[in-house]
Amino acid sequence: LLRSHGLLTRQRRSSLSSDAWCGFLISQVQHRIPSSFRTSPAVSSVSIVSSMSGWLNGIVKAVHSGDCITIMGKTASGPPPEKVLTLSSLMAPRLARAPDSRDEPYAWESREFLRRMCIGREVVFRVDYSVPSIGRDFGSVFVRANTESGQENVACSVVAAGWARVRNAPAGASDVSPDYAELIRLQEQATEAGIGVFGKETAAKAVREMPTDPLNTEALLESHKGQAVPGLVEYVVNGGTVRVTLLDNFHTITIFVAGIQCPSMGRRGPAPAAGANGNGATGQVAASAEPVPEPYAREAKHFCECMVLHREIRVVLEGVDKYQNLFGTLFKPDSDSPVDLADQLLRLGLAKTADWSMSMLSHAATEKLRLAERSAKDARLRIWRDYTPPPKVSSSLSSNFTGKVLEIISGDLLVVVDAATDMERRVCLASVRSPKVGNPRRDIKPEPYGPEAKEFLRQRLVGKTVKVAIDYSRKVVMAGEAGDSSVDRSMDFGSVTLTDPSTAAALADKSEEPAGQCPNLGEMLVLRGLATVVRHRGDEERASNYDALMQAEAKAQKNKKGMHSAKESPVNHINDLSLREAAHKARQYLPFLQRGGRLHAVVEVVLSGHRMKLYIPKENVMVVFSLAGVRAPGRVKDTVEPFADEALAFTRRRCLQHDVEVEVENVDKTGTFLGTLHLNGGRVNLGQAILESGLASLHPMFNPERAVNGHELKQCETRAKEARLKMWANYDPSKEMDLAGNGEASSRGGNAEVWEVVVTEVRDGGELYVQRKEKTQSVDWLADQLAGLGLMEQPATGGVGYKPSPGTVCCARFSEDNQWYRAKVEKLSGGNAEVFYLDFGNLETLPLSKLATLDSPSLTVAALPPLAQSVSLAGLKVPSLEEDFGYEAGEMLSELTIGKTLRAKIEDREKVDGKRGAENLLVTLSDPGATGGISVNASMVKAGLARCVRPRNQRIGAVVDSLKKFQEAARGSRANMWQYGDIDSDEDL
């Protein structure tokens, strides 16, 4: 190779000694090594081994004194092999190794000369001799120089500078340097010049001044906090812990790198007791257990050594923990910018962020470290090789979106309407926990500051546009209802910020948030002591602004804000009139609410399109409120009316948790307050808005003349009808006229309740009992249940001697078909009982032997509500059997109704004392299959077998108005009861 480059000639070879020739060969080969291997300490250099001379190639890793260094070589994986080498035939002053000892004169200067000359540089070396008694190797070291030869003898340079002495060696000794003669010559020159250890200064002046007082870490931190103090790393404990000598005062301190945690090198465990080796053998002395490093601990320590060991660094002290351990940031000076050791360890996957020390750093520094760790995680480097990132969002929804806040569920959970998809998404504030708000219905009391945290967010967020960034998703176990098992729900945790700086500035507390910034909701809560920061495990995902949250919590604790203060949390006792058992108290509050005029309220819950729960601060009450005269579709038991969900969403989007104004007009029997609700500072009437959208109609009993804004409501409904919006899509105005012409009053809004019924009994005075068509299955089921009791063969409990009291529900055997049915005892007479059949409405007198009890085997049968419903013809008076034409009226009514499926339109309801049913329904009956096309009510009036009564309300008045023309026709034709002219009665028309 040398000859091919013209570097080898016979003359040159003959002029060099054997040792010089080997050195020349190595130096020439060195020039041919690529620069990437020769200069970069991060890449292990190529080791060159000469089988003839023993010369090796390496990099100086550490300089222990003026004559001792550590050289590391090449390895395929893991830390490379190392060699501690003492320069042959030299003696340098020794540094102090114990706190109470002192340096030898010029020891520091001697080590500094060799350190600056060799640390981190590539060298060529060989072992000249070894001394087994002290376990040390002595050798010659050459470092690359800018001279023509390309190599510099390190030992010669040290002696020439006067920083080491040459050992005296007897003539012919083998344990001497090959360059012994040259070293002696250089020492004589240094002595003559009086340099280095041969100087004229006294020994006391040649020793550095070491601090003698015990180290006060807090005082040291106070005097140096925030300053870049120059230091020299003396020892590396592990990747994140070093011993540093501060160059301004020579304090030697142990510093933990702030913000990170490296794998541990392990601790030496206690030695097992002698004679107990686990196999029952005795008499053997076991050695102490060797420390076992964690994975990648050696690699982290080696990287730290290569980067900072025996190098000048800049130390920024950050804080002290409760054990007086110092934490700081280490920077390696560079030509362009200082290199942060913590950042480099994190980027290479040799460390993790540590929250307990991260709080000592500034926000910018913590953000930088988080990003470095994130890059290592994404690349799955080293300790993150098995890292699996958790799913950010459980579905295909975007993890970053903008939307309006719809609802604040608690201080750390809110509902946001995604502007892109119009979906309602639940978002938990990442890494933040707010006190629970409680649940009065389950008797769960709120935690201190829980309601305050919710109200703080409600006032600032509801209806405002926010930006959401989902940080992570987790499955949360949700407790089920009583008797139900728990359910796993995937919850999204994210950071929420206000998007408009001007809005943020108006809403934020200027003493807390910096001006011109869009505040983060989690930080706002934590800063005011209304929430705490979750302490995550090391491998858990957390909020992107976790460090800012930690700093905000530290500030809140320092200022004793909210839950960190010694004060008791405020308690607000609210009179809850929304509970079912509090309905009787609601009427007592009506005068106060009416006199208040327009009252400020907060919509807590939206129950339907027209019904909601309000909190009225002035009276400190929680009430159920309904829009007067307006009815929106809703849920009736298990049935969902058309457009019920749209109506609910309409009201939720506009007023849920908003500040509104209400005017209370009345209260109904269930404790629901009726009135008007205004939005947007009183500019929008919710009743008018929902009517005009076609998602509600006027109540059938609503009278526009009696309401303050009745005509405006009617106009809004009319406009929705004309535009065929939503529930009016199939609206036909002609049907209202047809209904009026057939003796059936038109319904306001088309939402009157209509049943399909079968008439089972026609009683005296136009009283009927009907079964709903949809209850047919219940009738069949009851028959099967009663047949299963075995009463046909033997009466149930009670038997022949059974004598029930009046009002008792029992089984009765109907005389016509000899089957058992549910019945209620009306009265007793001797050995007989008059019973009322609950599911058919007829009466019968039976002997007691045909009655049986309904005991425990049939509790479900007894508990089922009666299937027969009492009804009367709305707006009419039908003569009783004792009155004239009563028998004819009963016959005609039976002929028109019995055994037919009829359409019953419920016009009104009434409670009658002594009536067997819970209530009596006033209905308009019509037969869809009849050829005449008029209602049963109209047929009875037209035949002169019923007459119209004076209406008791407007709804019945509409029915009577539709029947007047038929009564006039019957009067004119002198039909039946009109055969002798007008009938005088104040109740009749």
Side-chain angles (χ1 to χ4, degrees), residues 56-76:
L56 301 173
N57 198 28
I59 294 177
V60 177
K61 173 183 174 182
V63 178
H64 307 288
S65 65
D67 60 359
C68 184
I69 61 176
T70 296
I71 304 173
M72 61 182 180
K74 175 187 175 181
T75 184

Side-chain angles (χ1 to χ4, degrees), residues 792-855:
M792 298 296 294
E793 293 78 15
Q794 181 180 358
T797 304
V800 177
Y802 176 54
K803 189 175 182 180
S805 58
T808 303
V809 176
C810 63
C811 283
R813 178 176 286 182
F814 188 43
S815 58
E816 292 189 11
D817 60 5
N818 210 30
Q819 299 295 321
W820 291 89
Y821 299 97
R822 294 193 306 167
K824 180 180 178 181
V825 178
E826 295 290 319
K827 61 182 178 178
L828 296 175
S829 178
N832 297 326
E834 183 181 84
V835 296
F836 168 71
Y837 290 99
L838 296 174
D839 303 315
F840 296 91
N842 54 318
L843 290 168
E844 187 178 24
T845 301
L846 295 173
L848 294 179
S849 60
K850 291 192 175 184
L851 302 182
T853 60
L854 286 174
D855 279 344

Side-chain angles (χ1 to χ4, degrees), residues 555-576:
K555 187 175 181 180
Q557 291 172 346
K558 181 180 179 181
N559 297 333
K560 299 186 182 303
K561 293 278 188 175
M563 63 179 64
H564 306 296
S565 66
K567 300 178 182 178
E568 293 186 0
S569 62
V571 179
N572 186 17
H573 297 287
I574 300 174
N575 292 320
D576 195 349

Side-chain angles (χ1 to χ4, degrees), residues 702-763:
F702 179 70
N703 184 0
E705 302 295 336
R706 300 177 60 183
V708 177
N709 61 341
H711 292 288
E712 289 82 355
L713 294 177
K714 182 64 178 176
Q715 291 173 2
C716 292
E717 183 190 50
T718 302
R719 285 194 291 269
K721 286 181 178 180
E722 293 173 352
R724 306 295 193 274
L725 297 177
K726 305 295 182 181
M727 59 186 296
W728 306 111
N730 300 320
Y731 169 70
D732 186 359
S734 61
K735 288 186 177 181
E736 293 187 358
M737 299 179 61
D738 293 342
L739 290 173
N742 294 336
E744 186 174 347
S746 61
S747 61
R748 295 185 181 275
N751 58 353
E753 195 171 359
V754 178
W755 293 355
E756 276 193 273
V757 299
V758 175
V759 178
T760 58
E761 179 73 1
V762 177
R763 304 292 298 278

Side-chain angles (χ1 to χ4, degrees), residues 284-440:
Q284 299 179 0
V285 180
S288 61
E290 288 295 328
V292 179
E294 295 179 355
Y296 296 101
R298 297 184 188 276
E299 288 80 353
K301 180 180 180 182
H302 173 68
F303 177 81
C304 185
E305 289 174 337
C306 292
M307 188 171 180
V308 299
L309 180 59
H310 288 161
R311 288 169 170 82
E312 291 186 16
I313 61 170
R314 296 294 182 267
V315 181
V316 179
L317 299 181
E318 306 288 358
V320 178
D321 65 7
K322 61 181 179 179
Y323 302 108
Q324 300 303 305
N325 294 319
L326 278 167
F327 288 79
T329 305
L330 305 185
F331 294 98
K332 180 183 177 183
D334 199 359
S335 57
D336 297 330
S337 61
V339 179
D340 186 355
L341 175 62
D343 179 76
Q344 295 298 310
L345 286 167
L346 289 171
R347 289 187 183 280
L348 292 173
L350 294 172
K352 298 180 180 180
T353 54
D355 296 331
W356 65 86
S357 59
M358 189 82 79
S359 59
M360 302 176 183
L361 302 175
S362 66
H363 178 66
T366 55
E367 287 294 322
K368 178 183 177 183
L369 296 185
R370 295 285 185 198
L371 291 175
E373 183 185 48
R374 171 59 59 190
S375 64
K377 283 183 176 181
D378 294 341
R380 293 179 173 81
L381 297 178
R382 295 173 180 83
I383 62 176
W384 305 111
R385 65 189 185 281
D386 299 326
Y387 170 74
T388 302
K392 278 200 169 184
V393 185
S394 54
S395 64
S396 59
L397 299 175
S398 173
S399 59
N400 295 283
F401 65 94
T402 301
K404 282 190 176 182
V405 177
L406 176 64
E407 181 182 5
I408 305 297
I409 299 176
S410 66
D412 53 11
L413 178 60
L414 58 155
V415 179
V416 182
V417 180
D418 191 340
T421 62
D422 200 42
M423 291 182 59
E424 296 181 10
R425 298 178 62 176
R426 284 196 172 200
V427 179
C428 298
L429 297 182
S431 302
V432 169
R433 183 193 179 277
S434 179
K436 296 180 180 179
V437 296
N439 189 336

Side-chain angles (χ1 to χ4, degrees), residues 411-679:
D412 53 11
L413 178 60
L414 58 155
V415 179
V416 182
V417 180
D418 191 340
T421 62
D422 200 42
M423 291 182 59
E424 296 181 10
R425 298 178 62 176
R426 284 196 172 200
V427 179
C428 298
L429 297 182
S431 302
V432 169
R433 183 193 179 277
S434 179
K436 296 180 180 179
V437 296
N439 189 336
R441 294 185 178 274
R442 296 186 180 181
D443 199 23
I444 301 175
K445 295 183 178 180
E447 296 180 356
Y449 292 97
E452 286 74 18
K454 178 181 177 181
E455 181 64 13
F456 174 81
L457 291 184
R458 186 197 69 80
Q459 293 178 357
R460 287 159 174 77
L461 290 184
V462 171
K464 300 296 187 299
T465 303
V466 296
K467 183 177 181 181
V468 181
I470 302 299
D471 293 318
Y472 55 90
S473 297
R474 286 187 187 148
K475 284 190 175 181
V476 179
V477 179
M478 308 295 293
E481 299 291 339
D484 295 342
S485 59
S486 58
V487 180
D488 289 345
R489 173 184 290 180
S490 181
M491 300 291 291
D492 294 333
F493 294 78
S495 300
V496 182
T497 54
L498 289 167
T499 57
D500 186 5
S502 60
T503 304
L507 296 177
D509 185 352
K510 293 180 174 55
S511 64
E512 302 290 350
E513 283 84 19
Q517 295 185 4
C518 294
N520 179 279
L521 302 190
E523 296 178 31
M524 292 169 65
L525 283 170
V526 174
L527 198 59
R528 289 164 174 80
L530 298 177
T532 56
V533 182
V534 178
R535 266 54 179 180
H536 295 282
R537 294 192 299 267
D539 56 342
E540 283 186 338
E541 291 296 314
R542 61 200 68 201
S544 56
N545 63 327
Y546 187 77
D547 304 303
L549 292 173
M550 295 291 290
Q551 293 178 355
E553 185 176 48
K555 187 175 181 180
Q557 291 172 346
K558 181 180 179 181
N559 297 333
K560 299 186 182 303
K561 293 278 188 175
M563 63 179 64
H564 306 296
S565 66
K567 300 178 182 178
E568 293 186 0
S569 62
V571 179
N572 186 17
H573 297 287
I574 300 174
N575 292 320
D576 195 349
L577 303 182
S578 65
L579 301 177
R580 187 172 300 175
E581 56 269 18
H584 65 283
K585 294 176 60 178
R587 186 163 292 276
Q588 300 174 7
Y589 276 84
L590 179 62
F592 303 100
L593 299 179
Q594 286 177 328
R595 286 197 298 267
R598 279 201 181 189
L599 298 171
H600 167 256
V602 179
V603 181
E604 295 290 341
V605 182
V606 176
L607 304 173
S608 67
H610 68 281
R611 198 162 178 263
M612 60 212 68
K613 186 187 292 187
L614 303 179
Y615 170 63
I616 304 177
K618 182 179 180 180
E619 301 295 337
N620 197 31
V621 292
M622 190 83 70
V623 301
V624 177
F625 182 85
S626 181
L627 299 176
V630 178
R631 184 187 182 279
R635 297 175 181 268
V636 181
K637 295 183 179 180
D638 297 331
T639 304
V640 181
E641 296 179 345
F643 298 101
D645 293 335
E646 289 88 338
L648 178 64
F650 180 91
T651 305
R652 271 173 57 86
R653 297 286 178 89
R654 283 158 179 79
C655 66
L656 179 59
Q657 292 192 342
H658 282 68
D659 293 309
V660 298
E661 295 178 358
V662 294
E663 293 180 272
V664 177
E665 301 172 7
N666 208 339
V667 62
D668 65 12
K669 59 186 178 181
T670 65
T672 300
F673 290 89
L674 308 176
T676 307
L677 186 145
H678 300 272
L679 303 171

Side-chain angles (χ1 to χ4, degrees), residues 879-881 883-892:
S880 64
L881 292 177
E883 296 177 332
D884 293 339
F885 300 102
Y887 182 79
E888 290 83 352
E891 272 196 339
M892 183 176 181

